[in-house]
Amino acid sequence: MNKLKRQQGFTLMEVMVALFILTIGMLGSTSMMLRSQQKAAETNTEINAAQRVWNITEIFRSNITGVNASTLDGLTVTTAGAAPACMSSLGAGCASGGEMTSMISYLIGMELNTFLANKNPKAEILNISGTDEDAVYEVSVTWEELDKDGNTYEKDYTMIFQP
């Protein structure tokens, strides 16, 4: 009685097909992880921009008298530049409208340079209605992002507030 021996294991072809299917699945998941990482970085930048806008509004609120005396309507800030001289004086500080505008521009520029570096950020402040105590401002921060093809496009975050 001769019993046929049964072979156990996989053939080379079965192993090759299984490896091919596994490779396709791994490539898909890798692509998905890379895109997820890009979106996480984008979201982090958006959170930073929102925080910068909030900080700009708090700069306004910290010295509302000086803000009302200054000319902030249409102020655009892209970089910090040099600190105004009034910030280094221990006495009066930045009291006049022009000094206040210089100080606010400097502080906003420092925020942008620190937290949105290499994104070509820009902050714009517009008085959209009212004057002095009843003024309503719009603060926007704009920055550049890269799309999946490596092209740049602008994104922005805007807040409307009354100091």
Side-chain angles (χ1 to χ4, degrees):
M1 280 190 155
N2 214 0
K3 291 186 180 179
L4 292 176
K5 288 187 176 180
R6 290 189 161 188
Q7 289 185 348
Q8 291 182 342
F10 299 103
T11 64
L12 182 59
M13 185 58 86
E14 290 170 333
V15 170
M16 295 297 284
V17 168
L19 284 175
F20 177 74
I21 292 171
L22 183 63
T23 301
I24 298 297
M26 293 296 283
L27 287 174
S29 66
T30 302
S31 171
M32 187 173 55
M33 286 190 302
L34 289 174
R35 185 68 182 140
S36 174
Q37 186 178 12
Q38 288 172 337
K39 280 298 187 186
E42 234 177 81
T43 301
N44 188 37
T45 302
E46 290 173 7
I47 290 169
N48 269 329
Q51 185 62 46
R52 303 302 58 89
V53 169
W54 186 262
N55 287 354
I56 292 167
T57 63
E58 290 304 315
I59 290 170
F60 273 54
R61 290 185 178 118
S62 68
N63 187 350
I64 195 65
T65 306
V67 170
N68 288 335
S70 67
T71 55
L72 293 172
D73 186 26
L75 178 66
T76 300
V77 180
T78 55
T79 58
C86 64
M87 287 182 74
S88 61
S89 64
L90 297 174
C94 301
S96 71
E99 290 177 335
M100 179 59 66
T101 302
S102 295
M103 181 190 74
I104 288 174
S105 295
Y106 174 74
L107 293 173
I108 292 170
M110 289 298 293
E111 287 267 333
L112 297 177
N113 289 346
T114 303
F115 295 101
L116 294 171
N118 303 320
K119 299 279 187 183
N120 295 326
K122 174 176 68 173
E124 293 180 285
I125 301 166
L126 297 173
N127 181 334
I128 56 176
S129 70
T131 57
D132 294 339
E133 287 83 22
D134 67 341
V136 176
Y137 290 93
E138 176 182 280
V139 178
S140 296
V141 171
T142 307
W143 68 96
E144 291 180 351
E145 287 285 352
L146 291 175
D147 64 12
K148 64 181 180 179
D149 298 326
N151 301 319
T152 59
Y153 65 97
E154 282 194 348
K155 291 189 86 172
D156 70 332
Y157 185 89
T158 302
M159 178 186 284
I160 297 173
F161 78 105
Q162 185 174 20

